[in-house]
Amino acid sequence: MRAAALAALAVVGCQLDNNGGSATAVSPNQLAAKLQALSQRMHARYLGAHRLIAAVGRSDLDSARLEAHAMSVLEEPDVLPEWRPYFVAVSQAALDIELAPDVGVAGRLVATLGARCLACHTAARAKPKLAPLPHGPTRMLEHQQAAIAMWDGLVISSDEHWLAGADILATAPLAMVARAATPEWPDDVDDVARLRMYAQRAKHVTAPAERTELFGTIMTTCSHCHTALRDR
Ligand code: HEC
Ligand code: HEC
């Protein structure tokens, strides 16, 4: 079923061969391999985006640029021309992140990237299945977990993921390590309060453009705190 949805993007049935330019049939095996490769690159972008969110969240611009670069160079040779612009738009967003002058700009662009993925999922009427949301405590930091769940919710237009992320964000405590690192610094508290406010707002925001905007703001707040801690 999943392969069928992806197959709608791919050049199927016949292709030009390398030398003669005449149409040759693509064998079922070749087609299956192409679809598998397409699915793997889709996953590679998805997992890369999660690492990108973590890197931008912790204001690690160097790692963010490496992730963005890896995403920007992924190519989709086998998709139909009508779908190519969507992948080009995704690669361009990744390239913009790679070239971002600072982590604040990168944070906004991570939201733009998600909106570009969403644009194709909407156009293709794709509703990708994602792993179920974790219940209860995970080993991942709550702030990071919240941001990833919200981004996923944006990308596959899932209220469930978006709201679950907002819920985590609304209640995420400043981790013990963060408390230890920032005992009496008022700005930190402001950032946490701000994130909680955005999380409350997120619960009432449904339009993709507004979610994109809000998510970008959230990312810049994450990186603001980390940058401030580092530059102290
Ligand atoms: C050109 C269109 C297009 C673009 C661009 C696109 N996707 Fe997809 N994506 C699809 C289609 C179609 C499917 C198959 C959906 C299904 O299985 O119902 C899919 C599936 C997925 C899946 C599930 C894959 C699997 O095999 O389990 C994930 C995760 C995903 N996309 C994430 C992303 C992310 C993240 C981006 C942006 C970085 C992105 N997609 C960009 C069209 C696109
Ligand atoms: C009030 C300040 C503050 C805010 C806001 C904040 N963090 Fe953090 N974060 C910290 C501190 C302090 C640490 C632990 C010390 C460190 O490694 O920087 C940390 C650790 C992390 C780490 C692990 C860093 C590593 O090197 O392993 C990630 C990832 C992270 N935060 C992501 C986020 C994301 C995403 C958000 C926004 C949704 C966010 N943080 C919001 C202060 C903050």
Side-chain angles (χ1 to χ4, degrees), residues 91-171:
S91 291
Q92 185 61 49
L95 185 63
D96 289 344
I97 296 171
E98 188 185 355
L99 301 175
D102 59 56
V103 77
V105 173
R108 298 257 166 219
L109 289 168
V110 169
T112 303
L113 172 70
R116 302 245 170 114
C117 308
L118 171 68
C120 183
H121 291 159
T122 305
R125 295 205 177 81
K127 188 83 183 167
K129 296 268 177 303
L130 298 185
L133 291 160
H135 287 288
T138 65
R139 291 178 51 197
M140 204 192 285
L141 282 161
E142 282 177 294
H143 278 145
Q144 185 183 345
Q145 199 190 331
I148 286 175
M150 291 181 81
W151 192 85
D152 282 4
L154 172 69
V155 164
I156 62 161
S157 60
S158 155
D159 291 343
E160 190 195 348
H161 283 77
W162 174 265
L163 292 173
D167 262 342
I168 301 170
L169 193 61
T171 53

Side-chain angles (χ1 to χ4, degrees), residues 33-198:
K34 282 178 192 299
L35 289 179
Q36 200 184 1
L38 180 57
S39 172
Q40 278 167 357
R41 282 188 299 271
M42 196 72 81
H43 262 278
R45 289 187 187 87
Y46 175 64
L47 297 177
H50 286 185
R51 291 190 296 269
L52 195 50
I53 290 166
V56 172
R58 64 174 194 265
S59 345
D60 178 352
L61 193 52
D62 288 344
S63 300
R65 283 180 175 147
L66 286 175
E67 291 296 344
H69 177 77
M71 199 185 299
S72 74
V73 297
L74 287 179
E75 288 188 12
E76 294 300 345
D78 297 321
V79 299
L80 288 165
E82 64 192 284
W83 296 109
R84 263 179 221 144
Y86 291 96
F87 283 116
V88 169
V90 165
S91 291
Q92 185 61 49
L95 185 63
D96 289 344
I97 296 171
E98 188 185 355
L99 301 175
D102 59 56
V103 77
V105 173
R108 298 257 166 219
L109 289 168
V110 169
T112 303
L113 172 70
R116 302 245 170 114
C117 308
L118 171 68
C120 183
H121 291 159
T122 305
R125 295 205 177 81
K127 188 83 183 167
K129 296 268 177 303
L130 298 185
L133 291 160
H135 287 288
T138 65
R139 291 178 51 197
M140 204 192 285
L141 282 161
E142 282 177 294
H143 278 145
Q144 185 183 345
Q145 199 190 331
I148 286 175
M150 291 181 81
W151 192 85
D152 282 4
L154 172 69
V155 164
I156 62 161
S157 60
S158 155
D159 291 343
E160 190 195 348
H161 283 77
W162 174 265
L163 292 173
D167 262 342
I168 301 170
L169 193 61
T171 53
L174 193 52
M176 295 305 281
V177 52
R179 268 187 230 282
T182 61
E184 297 162 43
W185 193 54
D187 278 7
D188 308 346
V189 180
D190 284 358
D191 278 342
V192 173
R194 217 170 287 145
L195 282 179
R196 293 200 173 137
M197 187 184 78
Y198 296 142

